[in-house]
Amino acid sequence: MHNANVSKCANPECKQEFKQLGKGKVFVRPVPKNSAGLTQKTLWLCPACAKIYDLRYDRHKQEFTLVHLRRTA
Ligand SMILES: [Zn+2]
């Protein structure tokens, strides 16, 4: 079970490491209580990925999924 600590970009294909707050986008969501107690899920998208992707919370899977942003040129 992972902790809420963010270590890298939420995009599995991106290897950007989380270095400082204020860059990119941070997503925080409380996770329903289970045997481990109430916890939070924190994910981070690096600035490059935040321009292309967004994160949506999937209630069924109970996890964030990466969604491609539509281009609005
Ligand atoms: Zn990234």
Side-chain angles (χ1 to χ4, degrees):
M1 195 81 188
H2 286 284
N3 202 335
N5 292 335
V6 178
S7 59
K8 69 171 283 295
C9 181
N11 181 357
E13 292 177 9
C14 176
K15 298 212 165 73
Q16 190 69 45
E17 288 183 4
F18 181 71
K19 282 170 188 163
Q20 80 187 93
L21 281 170
K23 288 188 177 175
K25 275 166 134 183
V26 174
F27 301 80
V28 181
R29 168 138 195 142
V31 175
K33 207 169 191 177
N34 57 21
S35 58
L38 187 64
T39 184
Q40 279 193 332
K41 204 159 195 173
T42 308
L43 287 169
W44 173 76
L45 277 178
C46 75
C49 291
K51 286 180 188 167
I52 312 168
Y53 296 104
D54 196 5
L55 286 173
R56 300 271 163 76
Y57 189 75
D58 187 319
R59 282 167 167 266
H60 299 290
K61 288 196 266 182
Q62 296 201 344
E63 63 184 27
F64 282 100
T65 51
L66 206 60
V67 288
H68 209 283
L69 290 175
R70 282 185 194 161
R71 282 189 194 176
T72 51

Coordinates of all heavy atoms in Angstrom, one line a residue:
M1 N 0.8 -1.2 0.0 CA 0.0 0.0 0.0 C 0.9 1.2 0.0 O 1.8 1.4 0.8 CB -0.9 0.0 1.2 CG -2.0 1.0 1.2 SD -3.4 0.3 0.2 CE -4.4 1.8 0.2
H2 N 0.6 2.1 -1.0 CA 1.4 3.3 -1.1 C 1.0 4.4 -0.1 O -0.2 4.5 0.2 CB 1.4 3.8 -2.5 CG 2.2 3.0 -3.5 ND1 3.5 3.1 -3.5 CD2 1.8 2.1 -4.4 CE1 4.0 2.2 -4.4 NE2 2.9 1.6 -5.0
N3 N 1.9 5.1 0.3 CA 1.6 6.3 1.1 C 1.1 7.4 0.2 O 1.2 7.3 -1.0 CB 2.9 6.7 1.9 CG 2.5 7.5 3.1 OD1 1.4 8.2 3.1 ND2 3.4 7.5 4.1
A4 N 0.7 8.5 0.8 CA 0.2 9.7 0.0 C 1.4 10.5 -0.6 O 1.2 11.4 -1.4 CB -0.6 10.6 0.8
N5 N 2.6 10.1 -0.3 CA 3.7 10.8 -0.8 C 3.8 10.8 -2.3 O 3.7 9.7 -2.9 CB 5.0 10.3 -0.2 CG 5.1 10.6 1.3 OD1 4.5 11.6 1.8 ND2 5.8 9.8 2.0
V6 N 4.1 11.9 -2.9 CA 4.2 12.0 -4.3 C 5.7 11.9 -4.6 O 6.5 12.7 -4.1 CB 3.6 13.3 -4.9 CG1 3.8 13.4 -6.4 CG2 2.1 13.3 -4.5
S7 N 6.1 11.1 -5.5 CA 7.5 11.0 -5.9 C 7.8 11.3 -7.3 O 8.8 11.8 -7.7 CB 8.1 9.6 -5.5 OG 7.4 8.6 -6.2
K8 N 6.8 11.0 -8.2 CA 7.0 11.3 -9.6 C 5.7 11.7 -10.2 O 4.6 11.6 -9.7 CB 7.6 10.1 -10.3 CG 6.7 8.9 -10.4 CD 7.4 7.9 -11.2 CE 7.3 8.1 -12.7 NZ 6.0 8.1 -13.3
C9 N 5.8 12.1 -11.5 CA 4.6 12.5 -12.3 C 3.6 11.3 -12.4 O 4.0 10.1 -12.5 CB 5.1 12.8 -13.7 SG 3.9 13.3 -14.8
A10 N 2.3 11.6 -12.4 CA 1.3 10.6 -12.4 C 1.2 9.9 -13.8 O 0.6 8.9 -13.9 CB 0.0 11.3 -12.1
N11 N 1.8 10.5 -14.8 CA 1.8 9.9 -16.1 C 2.8 8.7 -16.0 O 4.0 9.0 -15.9 CB 2.2 10.9 -17.1 CG 2.2 10.3 -18.5 OD1 2.0 9.1 -18.7 ND2 2.5 11.1 -19.5
P12 N 2.4 7.5 -16.2 CA 3.3 6.3 -16.1 C 4.4 6.4 -17.2 O 5.4 5.8 -17.0 CB 2.4 5.1 -16.4 CG 1.0 5.6 -16.4 CD 1.0 7.1 -16.6
E13 N 4.1 7.1 -18.2 CA 5.2 7.1 -19.3 C 6.2 8.3 -19.1 O 7.1 8.5 -19.9 CB 4.5 7.3 -20.6 CG 3.7 6.0 -21.0 CD 3.0 6.2 -22.3 OE1 3.2 7.2 -23.0 OE2 2.1 5.3 -22.6
C14 N 5.9 9.0 -18.1 CA 6.8 10.2 -17.8 C 7.6 9.9 -16.5 O 7.1 9.3 -15.6 CB 5.9 11.4 -17.6 SG 6.9 12.9 -17.1
K15 N 8.9 10.3 -16.6 CA 9.8 9.9 -15.5 C 10.1 11.2 -14.7 O 11.1 11.1 -13.9 CB 11.0 9.2 -16.0 CG 10.7 7.9 -16.7 CD 11.8 6.9 -16.5 CE 11.3 5.5 -16.8 NZ 11.2 5.3 -18.3
Q16 N 9.4 12.2 -14.9 CA 9.7 13.5 -14.2 C 9.5 13.3 -12.7 O 8.5 12.8 -12.3 CB 8.8 14.6 -14.7 CG 9.1 16.0 -14.2 CD 10.4 16.5 -14.9 OE1 10.6 16.3 -16.1 NE2 11.3 17.0 -14.0
E17 N 10.5 13.7 -11.9 CA 10.4 13.6 -10.5 C 9.8 14.8 -9.8 O 10.0 15.9 -10.3 CB 11.7 13.3 -9.8 CG 12.2 11.9 -10.2 CD 13.5 11.6 -9.5 OE1 14.0 12.4 -8.7 OE2 14.0 10.5 -9.7
F18 N 9.0 14.6 -8.8 CA 8.4 15.7 -8.1 C 9.5 16.4 -7.2 O 10.0 15.8 -6.3 CB 7.3 15.1 -7.2 CG 6.6 16.2 -6.4 CD1 5.7 17.1 -7.1 CD2 6.7 16.3 -5.0 CE1 5.0 18.1 -6.4 CE2 6.0 17.3 -4.3 CZ 5.2 18.1 -5.0
K19 N 9.7 17.6 -7.5 CA 10.7 18.3 -6.8 C 10.2 19.5 -5.9 O 10.6 19.7 -4.8 CB 11.8 18.8 -7.7 CG 12.7 17.7 -8.1 CD 13.6 18.1 -9.2 CE 14.4 16.9 -9.7 NZ 15.0 17.2 -11.0
Q20 N 9.3 20.3 -6.5 CA 8.8 21.3 -5.6 C 7.3 21.7 -5.9 O 6.9 21.5 -7.1 CB 9.7 22.6 -5.8 CG 9.4 23.4 -7.0 CD 10.5 24.5 -7.1 OE1 11.5 24.4 -7.7 NE2 10.2 25.6 -6.4
L21 N 6.6 22.1 -4.9 CA 5.3 22.5 -5.0 C 5.2 23.8 -5.9 O 6.1 24.5 -5.9 CB 4.7 22.8 -3.7 CG 4.2 21.5 -2.9 CD1 3.9 21.9 -1.4 CD2 3.0 20.9 -3.5
G22 N 4.1 23.9 -6.5 CA 3.9 25.2 -7.3 C 4.2 25.0 -8.7 O 3.9 25.8 -9.6
K23 N 4.8 23.8 -9.1 CA 5.0 23.5 -10.5 C 4.2 22.3 -10.8 O 4.1 21.3 -10.1 CB 6.5 23.2 -10.7 CG 7.4 24.4 -10.6 CD 8.8 24.1 -11.0 CE 9.6 25.4 -11.0 NZ 11.0 25.1 -11.3
G24 N 3.5 22.4 -12.0 CA 2.6 21.3 -12.4 C 1.3 21.4 -11.6 O 1.0 22.4 -11.1
K25 N 0.6 20.3 -11.6 CA -0.7 20.3 -10.9 C -0.7 19.2 -9.9 O -0.3 18.1 -10.1 CB -1.8 19.9 -12.0 CG -2.3 21.1 -12.7 CD -3.1 20.6 -13.9 CE -4.4 21.3 -14.1 NZ -5.2 20.7 -15.2
V26 N -1.3 19.5 -8.7 CA -1.4 18.5 -7.7 C -2.9 18.2 -7.5 O -3.7 19.1 -7.5 CB -0.8 19.1 -6.3 CG1 -1.1 18.1 -5.2 CG2 0.7 19.3 -6.5
F27 N -3.1 16.9 -7.4 CA -4.5 16.5 -7.2 C -4.6 15.7 -5.8 O -3.8 14.8 -5.6 CB -4.9 15.5 -8.3 CG -4.8 16.1 -9.7 CD1 -3.6 16.2 -10.3 CD2 -6.0 16.6 -10.3 CE1 -3.5 16.7 -11.6 CE2 -5.9 17.1 -11.6 CZ -4.6 17.2 -12.2
V28 N -5.5 16.1 -5.0 CA -5.7 15.5 -3.7 C -7.1 15.0 -3.6 O -8.0 15.8 -3.9 CB -5.3 16.4 -2.6 CG1 -5.5 15.7 -1.2 CG2 -3.9 16.9 -2.7
R29 N -7.3 13.8 -3.2 CA -8.6 13.3 -3.0 C -8.6 12.4 -1.8 O -7.8 11.5 -1.7 CB -9.0 12.5 -4.2 CG -10.3 11.7 -4.0 CD -11.2 11.8 -5.2 NE -12.5 11.3 -4.7 CZ -13.6 11.9 -5.1 NH1 -13.7 12.9 -5.9 NH2 -14.8 11.4 -4.6
P30 N -9.6 12.6 -0.9 CA -9.7 11.7 0.3 C -10.2 10.3 -0.2 O -11.1 10.3 -1.1 CB -10.8 12.3 1.1 CG -11.0 13.7 0.6 CD -10.6 13.7 -0.8
V31 N -9.7 9.3 0.3 CA -10.1 7.9 -0.1 C -10.9 7.4 1.0 O -10.6 7.5 2.2 CB -8.8 7.1 -0.3 CG1 -9.2 5.6 -0.6 CG2 -8.0 7.7 -1.4
P32 N -12.0 6.7 0.7 CA -13.0 6.2 1.7 C -12.3 5.3 2.7 O -11.3 4.6 2.3 CB -13.9 5.4 0.8 CG -13.9 6.0 -0.5 CD -12.5 6.5 -0.7
K33 N -12.8 5.3 3.8 CA -12.2 4.5 4.9 C -12.2 3.0 4.6 O -13.2 2.5 4.2 CB -13.0 4.8 6.2 CG -12.1 4.6 7.4 CD -12.9 5.2 8.6 CE -11.9 5.3 9.8 NZ -12.6 5.9 11.0
N34 N -11.1 2.4 4.8 CA -11.1 0.9 4.7 C -10.4 0.4 6.0 O -10.3 1.1 7.0 CB -10.4 0.5 3.4 CG -9.0 1.1 3.4 OD1 -8.4 1.5 4.4 ND2 -8.4 1.1 2.2
S35 N -9.9 -0.8 5.9 CA -9.3 -1.4 7.1 C -8.0 -0.6 7.6 O -7.7 -0.6 8.7 CB -8.8 -2.8 6.8 OG -8.0 -2.8 5.7
A36 N -7.5 0.2 6.6 CA -6.3 1.0 7.0 C -6.6 2.3 7.5 O -5.8 3.1 7.9 CB -5.4 1.1 5.8
G37 N -7.9 2.7 7.5 CA -8.3 4.0 8.0 C -8.4 5.0 6.8 O -8.0 4.7 5.7
L38 N -8.9 6.2 7.2 CA -9.0 7.2 6.2 C -7.7 7.7 5.7 O -6.8 7.9 6.4 CB -9.8 8.4 6.7 CG -10.2 9.5 5.7 CD1 -11.1 9.0 4.7 CD2 -10.8 10.7 6.5
T39 N -7.6 7.8 4.4 CA -6.3 8.3 3.8 C -6.6 9.2 2.7 O -7.7 9.5 2.4 CB -5.5 7.0 3.4 OG1 -4.2 7.5 2.9 CG2 -6.2 6.3 2.2
Q40 N -5.5 9.7 2.1 CA -5.7 10.6 1.0 C -4.8 10.1 -0.1 O -3.8 9.6 0.1 CB -5.0 12.0 1.4 CG -5.9 12.9 2.2 CD -5.3 14.3 2.2 OE1 -4.1 14.5 2.1 NE2 -6.2 15.3 2.4
K41 N -5.3 10.4 -1.3 CA -4.5 10.1 -2.4 C -4.0 11.4 -3.0 O -4.8 12.3 -3.3 CB -5.4 9.4 -3.4 CG -4.6 8.5 -4.4 CD -5.5 7.4 -5.0 CE -4.7 6.4 -5.6 NZ -5.5 5.2 -6.0
T42 N -2.7 11.5 -3.2 CA -2.2 12.7 -3.8 C -1.4 12.3 -5.1 O -0.6 11.4 -5.0 CB -1.2 13.3 -2.8 OG1 -1.9 13.5 -1.6 CG2 -0.7 14.7 -3.3
L43 N -1.7 13.0 -6.1 CA -1.0 12.7 -7.4 C -0.5 14.0 -7.9 O -1.1 15.1 -7.7 CB -1.9 12.0 -8.3 CG -2.2 10.6 -8.0 CD1 -3.4 10.1 -8.9 CD2 -1.0 9.7 -8.2
W44 N 0.5 13.9 -8.7 CA 1.1 15.1 -9.3 C 1.4 15.0 -10.8 O 1.8 13.9 -11.2 CB 2.4 15.5 -8.5 CG 3.2 16.6 -9.1 CD1 2.9 17.9 -9.0 CD2 4.4 16.5 -9.8 NE1 3.9 18.6 -9.7 CE2 4.8 17.8 -10.2 CE3 5.2 15.4 -10.3 CZ2 6.0 18.0 -10.9 CZ3 6.3 15.6 -11.0 CH2 6.7 17.0 -11.3
L45 N 1.0 16.0 -11.5 CA 1.4 16.0 -12.9 C 2.5 17.1 -13.1 O 2.3 18.2 -12.7 CB 0.2 16.3 -13.8 CG -0.8 15.2 -14.2 CD1 -1.9 15.8 -15.0 CD2 -0.1 14.1 -14.9
C46 N 3.5 16.7 -13.8 CA 4.6 17.7 -14.1 C 4.1 18.7 -15.0 O 3.1 18.6 -15.7 CB 5.8 17.0 -14.6 SG 5.7 16.5 -16.3
P47 N 4.7 19.9 -15.1 CA 4.2 21.0 -15.9 C 4.0 20.6 -17.4 O 3.0 21.0 -18.0 CB 5.3 22.0 -15.8 CG 6.0 21.8 -14.5 CD 5.9 20.3 -14.3
A48 N 4.9 19.8 -17.9 CA 4.7 19.3 -19.3 C 3.5 18.5 -19.5 O 2.7 18.7 -20.4 CB 5.9 18.6 -19.8
C49 N 3.2 17.5 -18.6 CA 2.1 16.7 -18.7 C 0.8 17.4 -18.3 O -0.3 17.1 -18.8 CB 2.2 15.4 -17.7 SG 3.5 14.3 -18.3
A50 N 0.9 18.4 -17.4 CA -0.3 19.1 -17.0 C -0.9 19.9 -18.2 O -2.1 20.3 -18.2 CB 0.0 20.1 -15.9
K51 N 0.0 20.2 -19.2 CA -0.5 20.9 -20.4 C -1.3 20.0 -21.3 O -2.1 20.4 -22.1 CB 0.7 21.5 -21.2 CG 1.3 22.7 -20.5 CD 2.4 23.1 -21.4 CE 3.2 24.3 -20.6 NZ 4.5 24.5 -21.3
I52 N -1.0 18.7 -21.2 CA -1.6 17.7 -22.1 C -2.7 16.9 -21.4 O -3.6 16.5 -22.1 CB -0.5 16.8 -22.7 CG1 0.7 17.6 -23.1 CG2 -1.0 15.9 -23.8 CD1 1.9 16.7 -23.4
Y53 N -2.4 16.6 -20.2 CA -3.3 15.7 -19.5 C -4.0 16.3 -18.3 O -3.5 17.3 -17.7 CB -2.6 14.4 -18.9 CG -2.0 13.6 -20.0 CD1 -0.6 13.6 -20.3 CD2 -2.8 12.7 -20.8 CE1 0.0 12.8 -21.3 CE2 -2.2 11.9 -21.8 CZ -0.9 12.0 -22.0 OH -0.3 11.2 -23.0
D54 N -5.1 15.7 -17.9 CA -5.8 16.0 -16.7 C -6.0 14.7 -15.9 O -5.9 13.7 -16.5 CB -7.1 16.7 -17.0 CG -7.7 17.5 -15.8 OD1 -7.0 17.6 -14.7 OD2 -8.8 18.0 -15.9
L55 N -6.3 14.8 -14.6 CA -6.6 13.6 -13.9 C -8.1 13.7 -13.4 O -8.5 14.7 -12.9 CB -5.7 13.5 -12.7 CG -4.2 13.1 -13.0 CD1 -3.4 13.1 -11.7 CD2 -4.2 11.7 -13.5
R56 N -8.8 12.6 -13.7 CA -10.1 12.5 -13.2 C -10.2 11.3 -12.2 O -9.6 10.3 -12.5 CB -11.1 12.2 -14.4 CG -11.0 13.3 -15.5 CD -12.1 14.4 -15.2 NE -11.8 15.5 -16.0 CZ -12.0 15.6 -17.3 NH1 -12.5 14.6 -18.0 NH2 -11.7 16.8 -17.9
Y57 N -11.1 11.5 -11.2 CA -11.2 10.5 -10.3 C -12.3 9.5 -10.8 O -13.4 9.9 -11.0 CB -11.6 11.0 -8.9 CG -11.6 10.0 -7.8 CD1 -10.4 9.5 -7.4 CD2 -12.7 9.5 -7.3 CE1 -10.3 8.5 -6.4 CE2 -12.7 8.5 -6.3 CZ -11.5 8.0 -5.9 OH -11.5 7.1 -4.9
D58 N -12.0 8.3 -10.9 CA -12.9 7.2 -11.3 C -13.5 6.6 -10.0 O -12.8 5.9 -9.3 CB -12.2 6.2 -12.2 CG -13.2 5.2 -12.8 OD1 -14.1 4.7 -12.1 OD2 -13.0 4.9 -14.0
R59 N -14.8 6.8 -9.8 CA -15.4 6.3 -8.6 C -15.5 4.7 -8.6 O -15.5 4.1 -7.5 CB -16.9 6.8 -8.5 CG -16.9 8.2 -8.0 CD -18.3 8.8 -8.2 NE -18.4 10.0 -7.4 CZ -18.9 10.1 -6.2 NH1 -19.3 9.0 -5.6 NH2 -19.0 11.2 -5.6
H60 N -15.6 4.1 -9.7 CA -15.7 2.7 -9.8 C -14.3 2.0 -9.5 O -14.3 1.1 -8.7 CB -16.2 2.2 -11.2 CG -17.5 2.8 -11.5 ND1 -18.7 2.3 -10.8 CD2 -18.0 3.8 -12.3 CE1 -19.7 3.0 -11.3 NE2 -19.3 3.9 -12.2
K61 N -13.3 2.6 -10.1 CA -12.0 2.0 -9.9 C -11.4 2.5 -8.6 O -10.4 2.0 -8.1 CB -11.1 2.3 -11.0 CG -11.4 1.5 -12.3 CD -10.3 1.5 -13.3 CE -10.5 2.6 -14.3 NZ -9.5 2.7 -15.3
Q62 N -12.0 3.6 -8.1 CA -11.4 4.3 -6.9 C -10.0 4.7 -7.1 O -9.1 4.5 -6.2 CB -11.6 3.5 -5.7 CG -13.1 3.3 -5.3 CD -13.3 2.9 -3.9 OE1 -12.4 2.5 -3.2 NE2 -14.5 3.0 -3.4
E63 N -9.8 5.3 -8.3 CA -8.4 5.8 -8.5 C -8.5 6.8 -9.6 O -9.5 7.0 -10.3 CB -7.5 4.6 -8.9 CG -7.9 4.0 -10.2 CD -7.0 2.8 -10.6 OE1 -6.4 2.2 -9.7 OE2 -6.8 2.5 -11.8
F64 N -7.4 7.6 -9.7 CA -7.3 8.6 -10.7 C -7.0 8.0 -12.1 O -6.2 7.0 -12.1 CB -6.2 9.6 -10.4 CG -6.7 10.6 -9.3 CD1 -6.3 10.4 -8.0 CD2 -7.4 11.7 -9.6 CE1 -6.6 11.3 -7.0 CE2 -7.8 12.6 -8.7 CZ -7.4 12.4 -7.4
T65 N -7.6 8.5 -13.1 CA -7.2 8.1 -14.4 C -6.7 9.3 -15.2 O -7.2 10.4 -15.0 CB -8.4 7.5 -15.2 OG1 -9.5 8.3 -15.1 CG2 -8.8 6.1 -14.5
L66 N -5.8 9.1 -16.0 CA -5.2 10.1 -16.9 C -6.1 10.3 -18.1 O -6.4 9.4 -18.8 CB -3.8 9.6 -17.3 CG -2.7 10.6 -17.6 CD1 -2.4 11.5 -16.4 CD2 -1.5 9.9 -18.1
V67 N -6.5 11.6 -18.3 CA -7.3 11.9 -19.5 C -6.6 12.9 -20.3 O -6.0 13.9 -19.8 CB -8.7 12.4 -19.1 CG1 -9.5 11.2 -18.6 CG2 -8.7 13.5 -18.1
H68 N -6.7 12.7 -21.6 CA -6.0 13.7 -22.5 C -6.9 14.9 -22.7 O -8.1 14.8 -22.9 CB -5.9 13.0 -23.9 CG -4.7 13.5 -24.7 ND1 -4.7 14.6 -25.3 CD2 -3.5 12.9 -24.8 CE1 -3.6 14.8 -25.9 NE2 -2.8 13.8 -25.6
L69 N -6.3 16.0 -22.5 CA -7.1 17.3 -22.7 C -7.4 17.5 -24.1 O -6.5 17.2 -25.0 CB -6.3 18.5 -22.1 CG -6.1 18.6 -20.6 CD1 -5.2 19.7 -20.3 CD2 -7.4 18.7 -19.9
R70 N -8.5 18.0 -24.4 CA -8.9 18.4 -25.8 C -8.1 19.6 -26.1 O -8.0 20.6 -25.3 CB -10.4 18.6 -25.9 CG -11.1 17.3 -26.0 CD -12.6 17.6 -26.2 NE -13.4 16.4 -26.0 CZ -14.7 16.4 -25.8 NH1 -15.3 17.6 -25.8 NH2 -15.3 15.3 -25.6
R71 N -7.7 19.7 -27.3 CA -7.0 20.9 -27.8 C -8.1 21.9 -28.1 O -9.0 21.7 -28.8 CB -6.2 20.6 -29.0 CG -4.9 19.9 -28.6 CD -4.0 19.9 -29.8 NE -2.9 18.9 -29.6 CZ -2.0 18.6 -30.5 NH1 -2.1 19.1 -31.7 NH2 -1.0 17.8 -30.2
T72 N -7.9 23.1 -27.5 CA -8.8 24.2 -27.8 C -7.9 25.3 -28.4 O -7.4 26.2 -27.7 CB -9.5 24.7 -26.5 OG1 -8.5 24.9 -25.5 CG2 -10.5 23.7 -26.1
A73 N -7.6 25.2 -29.6 CA -6.7 26.1 -30.3 C -7.4 27.4 -30.6 O -8.6 27.5 -30.9 CB -6.2 25.5 -31.6
Ligands
ZN1 ZN 5.0 14.2 -16.5

